[in-house]
Amino acid sequence: MYRSHTCGELNESHIGQQVRLAGWVQKVRDKGFVVWIDLRDRYGITQLVFDQERSAQGLLEQARNAGREFVLQVEGEVIERASKNPKMPTGAIEVLVREFRVLNPAQTPPFTIEDDTDGGEELRMKYRYLDIRRNPVKEKLIFRSRVAMEVRNYLSGQGFIEVETPYLIKSTPEGARDFVVPSRLHEGQFYALPQSPQTFKQLLMVGGMDKYFQIVKCFRDEDLRADRQPEFTQIDCEMAFVEQEDILSTFEGLTRHLIQAIHGVDTGNFPRMTYDDAIRRYGSDKPDIRFGMEFGELNAVAQHRDFNVFNQAELVVAIAVPGAAAYTRKEIDALVEWVKRPQVGAMGMVYVKCLEDGSYKSSVDKFYTQEDLQQWAEATGAQPGDLICVLSGDAGPTRTRLSMLRMEMAHRLGLRNPKEFAPLWVVDFPLLEFDEESGRYHAMHHPFTAPKPGQLHLLDTDPAAVRANAYDLVLNGNEIGGGSIRIHDKETQAVMFKHLGFTAEQARAQFGFLMDAFQFGAPPHGGIAFGLDRLVAILGGQESIRDYIAFPKNNSGRDVMIDAPSPIDGEQLEELHLEIRPGQA
C-alpha cells in the first residue's frame, strides 16, 4: 500500500513507529547537512527529515532534488521534533526517512500552493486542479460535502425518497432561457437541459411517491453574477397531501437542523412576513433582518412644503442609519455620489443629521422646520446621532434603490455578521407579474403555482390582486429556497395557462403530459427547492458561490480550464443536422 497513515494524523503517540506516507511536496528547506521536506495531502502536513548522520547514503541528495508539488512516497520512523510547532496537529513529530520514492515529478506550479497565494482568479481557474490543493478551496469543498450529507440524512430520516429525474427533457417557454441539445436521431428536434425537475417531481406525486427529494444539477442560460452559474445544484423536494403549513414546518426543520449541526446555533422558530410587508418595510422580497434600518414613508410629512422634488414624487421614503450623523460633509457627498451611480440610479439624496442635542441639520433646511424634521425622525425611528437618508421618485424603483443603500450602509457599519443567522419566510407573493415589454402577465414563480384558496375568480377581474400559495425562505438577505403549493387538477391548470397567454393548443403541446396525468388522481401536493451552492456559501460565511463549486465557470460562462464552450467539427455538425452560418466558425 502507498501509505499507512495520512499526513495529518501522526502525533507523539506514534513516536517510534515505522510509517509509510504519500503526498505532495509543500516546500523543501536545505541547510546543507540536513534537509526538511513538508509533505502534504488532503489531511494535513507532516515534516520529513533527512540528515547526513542518520539517513542512508544518497538519500540527502534525492531529497534536495525534490521540487515543489513532486509526488512522493516515503517510509521512516516517527521521531520527536526538536523544535515543535504548536500551530500544526503534527507539529510535535517528524519522520526520519529511510526510504524515498518519487512517484511523479512536477513542473513548477504557475502560482504558489499556499493559503495566501500569488495567483490571480483567472489563472487559478485555468489551473483549478492545483487551486483545489490549497486549504481555502479544499476546505470549502469538504464543507459542501458535509452540508449535502446532513441534508440527505435529515430528509431520509423524515421519510423522503431520493429519486433521479431526466437531464434530457422538453424545452418550455416559461422561465429563463434553456440550454438545448440537438438530437442526432430525430432531425431538427432538440432536447433541453432542465432548469428544474418541476414537472417530473409533480408526476412523482401522481405516482404515489409521497415524499421526494433529489440533489440535482440544473441549467439556465442567463446572465451571470458572483452568486450565479449556468449550471447549479438544487435540493429539490416535493410532498403529497400537504398544505402550505406542512411544507414550511418540514423545511424550517431542515434549515434549523443544518444551522444547529454545523454552527451549534439554535435559530428558534422562523419569523414570517408577507411579500407586501417585505417590500414596504425593506424594499426587497429577500430582506436581511440581522439589523434594523426599516423604511419610513414620509409622503404625509414631507409633501406639504415648497420642495417640488418631493411634491412631484409618488413616494418619499427614508432610512435612519445608526451613528452616521458623525459623517463629514465629504463623506455624505460621497454617499450621494454612490446612490447616483448607474448601478443604483437615484437622481440624488436628501439627508438629515439627528444631532445629540435633539436638533436637526439637513440638506433641505430652507424648506422644512425643526418640527417637520422631527416627524421624519419619528417615521424612521431615528435616534440622536443617526443620519436619515431620503430618496424619492416612482415607488417601485425608489424602494429598490433605498434597499441597495440600506445594504451598503449595513456593510460599511459591519452589521452583516456572517456568523449570525437570521432566517425568514416570505409568503403571499403575487401570483402574476405584468411584463411591460410583452404586454402580458407572467407567472412570478412558475405556471404550476396554485393561487391562494378562494382567489381563482380574481384572475378574470383583477389579476394583479391574486396572491400565490407560494413561499420563499430567506437567510441573511439571500433567497436560499422557494416553492409553492401546486395546481393539481386539469381545469384549474387550464385556467392558469389561459391567463398566461397560452392557447389551448399551445398548452396541450407543451404540457399535455402533465394535464393527462392530472386526470388519473393527482393528490394535492407542494414543494420547495433550495439552492445548494448559495446555501453552502452562506453557511460558510460568504455570499459568492464560486469557491464552493469544484469546477466553476467564469463571469463569461466559460470553463477556462478545459476551454468550453468550444467549436465542434464539421462531421459532428453534419450528424446533428446542423450547419454554421458564414462568419460563425
Side-chain angles (χ1 to χ4, degrees), residues 390-403:
V390 189
L391 299 182
S392 62
D394 292 341
T398 299
R399 285 195 174 97
T400 300
R401 290 163 186 153
L402 191 61
S403 176

Side-chain angles (χ1 to χ4, degrees), residues 146 252-270 417-423 475-476 539:
R146 180 185 172 194
E252 182 169 320
L254 169 62
T255 310
R256 287 183 65 178
H257 169 77
L258 291 175
I259 296 172
Q260 176 70 52
I262 292 165
H263 291 287
V265 174
D266 184 1
T267 56
N269 294 328
F270 295 2
N417 180 2
K419 295 183 179 180
E420 180 183 353
F421 298 98
L475 183 61
N476 295 358
L539 290 175

Side-chain angles (χ1 to χ4, degrees), residues 3 5-9 40-45 89-90 138:
R3 56 189 180 183
H5 298 79
T6 70
C7 293
E9 67 177 295
R40 182 195 72 241
D41 65 8
R42 172 188 139 190
Y43 305 94
I45 293 176
T90 61
K138 175 194 72 177

Side-chain angles (χ1 to χ4, degrees), residues 278-279 281-288 291 293 295 317 319 338 344 391 396-410:
I279 297 299
R281 294 168 60 186
Y282 299 101
S284 170
D285 59 2
K286 47 181 182 293
D288 191 336
F291 55 93
M293 289 194 276
F295 288 11
V317 64
I319 57 172
W338 189 90
V344 182
L391 299 182
T398 299
R399 285 195 174 97
T400 300
R401 290 163 186 153
L402 191 61
S403 176
M404 295 170 71
L405 177 60
R406 175 180 181 267
M407 296 294 278
E408 174 66 16
M409 297 311 297

Side-chain angles (χ1 to χ4, degrees), residues 319 330-349 391 400-412:
I319 57 172
K330 184 177 180 180
E331 288 174 314
I332 292 177
D333 287 346
L335 199 57
V336 173
E337 290 305 311
W338 189 90
V339 302
K340 291 166 70 173
R341 297 183 316 153
Q343 301 95 314
V344 182
M347 298 297 292
M349 185 188 83
L391 299 182
T400 300
R401 290 163 186 153
L402 191 61
S403 176
M404 295 170 71
L405 177 60
R406 175 180 181 267
M407 296 294 278
E408 174 66 16
M409 297 311 297
H411 173 72
R412 294 186 185 189

Side-chain angles (χ1 to χ4, degrees), residues 188-213:
Q189 297 184 338
F190 296 81
Y191 299 104
L193 300 178
Q195 296 185 33
S196 83
Q198 180 61 45
T199 54
F200 289 101
K201 65 180 179 179
Q202 291 191 247
L203 292 172
L204 285 170
M205 297 303 102
V206 178
M209 288 306 293
D210 186 57
K211 289 183 175 182
Y212 141 94
F213 87 99

Side-chain angles (χ1 to χ4, degrees), residues 509-523:
Q510 292 290 335
F511 301 108
F513 65 93
L514 186 64
M515 306 282 272
D516 288 345
F518 284 170
Q519 298 179 99
F520 291 95

